[in-house]
Amino acid sequence: MRYMAEIGTDWRMLDGVATAWFDAPSLIEAAELAGRILEVSADVAVDVRATGVRARVGSDDVAEAVSTAAQELGLVANPAGLQQLSVVLESPDPDAVRPFWQQALDYALDEEGSLADPLRRDPALRIRPTTERRPLRNRIHLDVVRPTAGVEQVELGEPTGPYGVCRTDPDGNEVDLVPGDALGESPGTADWQSVFSAIACYRTTSPAQQRDLAAAAAALAHDVGFPLLVDLRPGLVVLDSGKDRWEKDAHGLALEFTDLAARLQAAARDLGATADPALPRFVQLFLDAADVPAVRAFWLAALGYTPDRRDWNSDINDPRRLNVDLVFQEIDLSETERRRQRNRIHVELAVPSDLAQARVAAAVAAGGRLLGESTGRWLVADPEGNELVVTAHGRSA
């Protein structure tokens, strides 16, 4: 078996999963590799982007076959941007808060008591015990956008807040649980939902159908220059505009996204794929800050993110569109006690071991403080005390 010297360098273990990224010059070539991967295994999680493909596999044999397929297509692995973000919530009574978050996110409970997106698209939520009392509001909360029918079914108490969407868990942690909407009124986009992103999820009956839908979607998006996100999961194809990217000021193209959505819907239906309207979901992290530019600069450096192209928008994004977006808003400077209180929520960043120290150094250089260090693990705080844990993960072997 060809191993570390030839294919092992392609792969890294992130959160226990062998993961690789292969650069591609366009959605067309990325979708071609995705199709080859589906021929190897239907159980692989594949994310197709305009700049490349991320594959997450469950065995060494599959990893080797994927690397071989990429090599045959002339695509090269690039682990430099591999990372996986998760959210950690600390609670004096994890069993009390866990059901709240499982309902809010519509996540699955794993054997360790953590909550994970069944589609492996949105960040995991890990709940850990603490004895520290933190009575004031967090400066970090989650936004979760789901189809209206799903939001109406949750039993989390009456929503509050200025927009009537805020729910609060037993510890006082907040989530804005926002109902989505149809992308438009036309039957031509009936499969699509606006959940901050425009998303359509299609059930498929075979890897060949998945492959054909991914290829058709990539071709349609490539023709108009739109960087569509295409995620392949067992029996499922997710077509995603990315947050706000269906709006003209976000993508900067001479394009009505609803026109592209209609063509994508027609292609999916022609191939026999069936839309599942319950599945679209969007998750983002919201950070309150007294000095938004300073805090935002830290997170840009620490996560290797890029700013939204619109000057008025505080969002920062994973350049490969594989991890959760972060949004920043200004906090009232009079809330001094709240600003001093340590958050009950923090972010964990898993990166390859050969990149971890450089990422920590970038975070510190951008105004962060190194609070603690152990083998393969660094605790860093941003300029206002919001915490990031960087964890180093080794090569797949």
Side-chain angles (χ1 to χ4, degrees), residues 132-269:
E132 188 177 345
R133 184 174 177 271
R134 302 172 206 160
L136 303 177
R137 284 180 61 207
N138 271 333
R139 283 164 289 129
I140 299 178
H141 75 265
L142 275 72
D143 284 355
V144 179
V145 194
R146 292 171 50 195
T148 298
V151 172
E152 290 175 345
Q153 289 173 7
V154 303
E155 297 178 354
L156 301 176
E158 287 299 314
T160 62
Y163 301 104
V165 295
C166 180
R167 262 80 169 197
T168 306
D169 79 6
D171 289 349
N173 303 297
E174 294 177 349
V175 58
D176 281 355
L177 182 57
V178 182
D181 203 353
L183 181 61
E185 297 180 359
S186 168
T189 58
D191 296 348
W192 290 82
Q193 299 220 19
S194 172
V195 288
F196 287 8
S197 291
I199 299 178
C201 299
Y202 288 99
R203 298 286 187 184
T204 55
T205 56
S206 69
Q209 191 182 43
Q210 278 188 295
R211 178 200 64 211
D212 292 346
L213 178 50
L220 288 167
H222 177 77
D223 285 347
V224 294
F226 189 84
L228 188 70
L229 317 181
V230 183
D231 293 347
L232 309 179
R233 302 296 184 266
L236 186 70
V237 176
V238 179
L239 306 180
D240 186 347
S241 70
K243 184 191 174 185
D244 296 340
R245 293 302 167 105
W246 60 275
E247 298 177 349
K248 278 189 173 180
D249 67 336
H251 58 64
L253 299 170
L255 167 72
E256 282 288 347
F257 183 80
T258 51
D259 293 340
L260 174 59
R263 292 193 291 272
L264 291 164
Q265 174 174 304
R269 292 186 176 190

Side-chain angles (χ1 to χ4, degrees), residues 300-353:
L300 280 166
L303 302 181
Y305 272 26
T306 55
D308 189 279
R309 66 186 296 273
R310 297 163 291 183
D311 291 339
W312 57 267
N313 193 317
S314 71
D315 290 16
I316 65 173
N317 320 108
D318 182 343
R320 293 177 175 175
R321 297 281 169 171
L322 296 169
N323 283 281
V324 62
D325 293 351
L326 271 67
V327 185
F328 302 84
Q329 70 177 2
E330 193 170 359
I331 193 174
D332 189 333
L333 294 179
S334 67
E335 296 188 62
T336 54
E337 290 304 312
R338 180 182 167 212
R339 288 162 55 203
R340 291 192 189 105
Q341 176 182 275
R342 181 169 171 256
N343 288 316
R344 293 180 296 270
I345 292 176
H346 70 265
V347 180
E348 287 199 353
L349 173 67
V351 295
S353 57

Side-chain angles (χ1 to χ4, degrees), residues 262-313:
R263 292 193 291 272
L264 291 164
Q265 174 174 304
R269 292 186 176 190
D270 285 347
L271 290 167
T274 304
D276 188 334
L279 293 182
R281 178 180 53 230
F282 176 85
V283 177
Q284 68 180 6
L285 276 174
F286 229 101
L287 279 74
D288 294 342
D291 186 345
V292 168
V295 172
R296 186 170 180 257
F298 167 89
W299 290 96
L300 280 166
L303 302 181
Y305 272 26
T306 55
D308 189 279
R309 66 186 296 273
R310 297 163 291 183
D311 291 339
W312 57 267
N313 193 317

Side-chain angles (χ1 to χ4, degrees), residues 360-382:
V360 172
V364 172
R369 292 175 292 124
L370 183 62
L371 302 181
E373 179 180 352
S374 58
T375 303
R377 188 178 179 89
W378 296 262
L379 175 62
V380 187
D382 75 12

